[in-house]
Amino acid sequence: MSRWDPYAEDRLREAALELFLEHGYENVTVAEITERAGLTRRSFSRYFTDKRDVLFAGSEQLPVVLARSVRNAADTLTPFEALLTALVDVAGGLADQAPLAVQRRAVVRASPELQERGRTKFAAVIDAVADALRDRGTTESHATLLAEVGVAIFRTAFERWTDRPDDMDLPTRIREAAAEVAAGLGAVDFTALPAPDATTAHG
Amino acid sequence: MSRWDPYAEDRLREAALELFLEHGYENVTVAEITERAGLTRRSFSRYFTDKRDVLFAGSEQLPVVLARSVRNAADTLTPFEALLTALVDVAGGLADQAPLAVQRRAVVRASPELQERGRTKFAAVIDAVADALRDRGTTESHATLLAEVGVAIFRTAFERWTDRPDDMDLPTRIREAAAEVAAGLGAVDFTALPAPDATTAHG
């Protein structure tokens, strides 16, 4: 049994990201990751189930943490305020993740399999947030809509922040993205859209 | 060679949906679908590549049609107005799809594989719409954010409409969902959200 190494998990993750970026995710084995990290297969199994897990480990916490934060937000907040409060709140805990996130994004973008996995993860976030909003009294369909918009805001904010982490912190990026959607939709002249009668005539 | 049957495609689709709902998507074969429809494997292959294709055939048009409609929207419209105009415009052409859509949704919800496929389809819609918005001069990241919000609005509207097609038509449901997001975000008191300094101290 190897000596306990407090940095083993980080070393494995960094080794995996390096190798994925060098050779492509599909072409890297767990053996190569452990070798690069100077650790054993046994150490690897202590932290990760497989090589895909190295990329996404920790992200299974996001639905749980966000949903809890939505439920705990003050009763006086509107559903959107509770949602944005939760996003900003959780964002505060991600402050050290920008460098890894940029690398991870590059790996995921190069692999359709990983993109699919990423979408599944975000779908779980949407479901958890929608559930939490329903617990606050928001109706079923409205809760899902808000959760989808909230996750879109979070994803955009996260990408902008990881692209240029020194420009603005993640909570500020979340406010920025939310304000963009608010301003964009707020300025829509609904009377300028095609009238229902005119468009249903197509069908 | 069988006689040309103008309804073969519809009959195959209806037979497939019936069987998927009765026995579960995973347990139905193409042979069973063609038998139920009273048609041959050859007829099936004329319209669909495999049984998954029966559920999603036609949906590959959605990114193309939406993107074209965004590009063709009047120059005077804001990005969000162009996007909503495109959604309402395309919705007009879907007026006869409500009954099939309800059945399809029930089948998709029962299968993780099909849910994944559905998410991949919507990701393609988001990409196509974001591209079209960029062609209108919207910046990269803002275009993706708007496209994600637009697709969330469309999905919500589509579900509400197919759940109760007689209450409101799809274009009206799109306006309703867009107005909900606009009102919800418009009412957010951004000063009530946690302050950036307070939250980044978590990280």
Side-chain angles (χ1 to χ4, degrees):
Chain A
M1 171 113 188
S2 60
R3 215 158 45 84
W4 181 68
D5 176 350
Y7 303 109
E9 186 176 352
D10 287 346
R11 276 162 60 197
L12 286 164
R13 190 176 277 125
E14 282 159 26
L17 279 171
E18 277 174 25
L19 286 163
F20 294 159
L21 288 169
E22 286 167 22
H23 305 294
Y25 170 78
E26 279 79 8
N27 304 315
V28 175
T29 64
V30 169
E32 288 166 333
I33 296 169
T34 56
E35 195 193 348
R36 171 77 60 105
L39 291 163
T40 60
R41 170 78 214 204
R42 195 189 166 104
S43 302
F44 184 91
S45 304
R46 204 170 293 146
Y47 301 106
F48 307 108
T49 55
D50 53 29
K51 70 170 177 170
R52 199 161 70 164
D53 193 34
V54 186
L55 277 177
F56 292 106
S59 66
E60 72 279 2
Q61 288 303 308
L62 192 56
V64 180
V65 172
L66 264 179
R68 186 168 50 217
S69 188
V70 168
R71 288 192 178 89
N72 289 345
D75 291 344
T76 51
L77 299 182
T78 67
F80 246 129
E81 285 171 344
L83 174 51
L84 291 173
T85 295
L87 294 176
V88 168
D89 196 37
V90 169
L94 300 174
D96 57 349
Q97 303 233 343
L100 277 183
V102 170
Q103 291 182 291
R104 186 164 43 217
R105 184 139 45 95
V107 173
V108 171
R109 276 196 183 148
S111 162
E113 181 202 334
L114 293 175
Q115 286 177 11
E116 205 162 80
R117 168 84 168 207
R119 283 193 288 267
T120 303
K121 290 271 174 191
F122 273 111
V125 174
I126 290 167
D127 285 348
V129 168
D131 272 351
L133 286 169
R134 277 190 286 273
D135 285 352
R136 294 179 64 94
T138 308
T139 61
E140 175 84 22
S141 167
H142 188 60
T144 303
L145 176 59
L146 262 53
E148 290 193 359
V149 172
V151 167
I153 287 168
F154 186 81
R155 287 165 61 118
T156 297
F158 195 80
E159 288 213 358
R160 289 176 182 176
W161 171 62
T162 52
D163 279 344
R164 289 194 302 277
D166 298 332
D167 284 10
M168 269 183 225
D169 61 16
L170 179 54
T172 306
R173 286 290 189 191
I174 291 171
R175 278 187 198 75
E176 176 192 59
E180 277 176 31
V181 177
L185 270 178
V188 167
D189 176 5
F190 282 89
T191 64
L193 303 181
D197 288 339
T199 54
T200 50
H202 291 204
Chain B
M1 169 115 190
S2 60
R3 215 155 47 83
W4 182 68
D5 177 349
Y7 303 108
E9 187 177 352
D10 287 346
R11 276 163 59 197
L12 286 163
R13 190 176 276 124
E14 281 159 27
L17 279 171
E18 277 174 23
L19 287 163
F20 294 159
L21 289 169
E22 285 167 22
H23 305 293
Y25 170 78
E26 279 78 9
N27 305 315
V28 175
T29 64
V30 169
E32 288 166 334
I33 296 168
T34 56
E35 194 194 346
R36 172 76 60 105
L39 291 163
T40 60
R41 170 78 214 204
R42 195 188 167 107
S43 302
F44 184 91
S45 305
R46 205 171 291 148
Y47 301 105
F48 308 108
T49 54
D50 53 31
K51 71 171 177 170
R52 198 161 70 166
D53 193 35
V54 186
L55 277 177
F56 292 107
S59 66
E60 72 279 2
Q61 288 303 309
L62 192 57
V64 180
V65 172
L66 263 179
R68 186 169 49 216
S69 188
V70 168
R71 288 192 177 89
N72 289 346
D75 291 344
T76 51
L77 299 182
T78 67
F80 246 130
E81 286 171 345
L83 173 51
L84 291 173
T85 295
L87 294 176
V88 168
D89 195 36
V90 168
L94 301 175
D96 57 348
Q97 303 232 343
L100 277 182
V102 170
Q103 291 182 291
R104 185 164 45 216
R105 185 139 47 96
V107 173
V108 171
R109 277 196 182 149
S111 162
E113 181 203 333
L114 292 175
Q115 285 176 10
E116 205 162 79
R117 169 83 167 209
R119 285 193 286 269
T120 303
K121 289 273 173 188
F122 272 112
V125 174
I126 289 167
D127 286 348
V129 168
D131 273 351
L133 287 169
R134 278 190 285 271
D135 285 353
R136 295 179 63 93
T138 307
T139 60
E140 177 83 22
S141 168
H142 188 60
T144 303
L145 176 59
L146 262 52
E148 289 192 359
V149 173
V151 166
I153 288 168
F154 187 81
R155 285 164 63 117
T156 297
F158 195 80
E159 288 212 358
R160 289 176 181 176
W161 171 63
T162 52
D163 278 344
R164 290 194 302 276
D166 297 332
D167 283 9
M168 270 183 223
D169 61 17
L170 179 55
T172 307
R173 286 289 189 191
I174 291 171
R175 276 187 200 77
E176 176 192 58
E180 277 176 31
V181 178
L185 271 178
V188 167
D189 175 5
F190 282 89
T191 64
L193 303 182
D197 288 341
T199 54
T200 49
H202 291 204

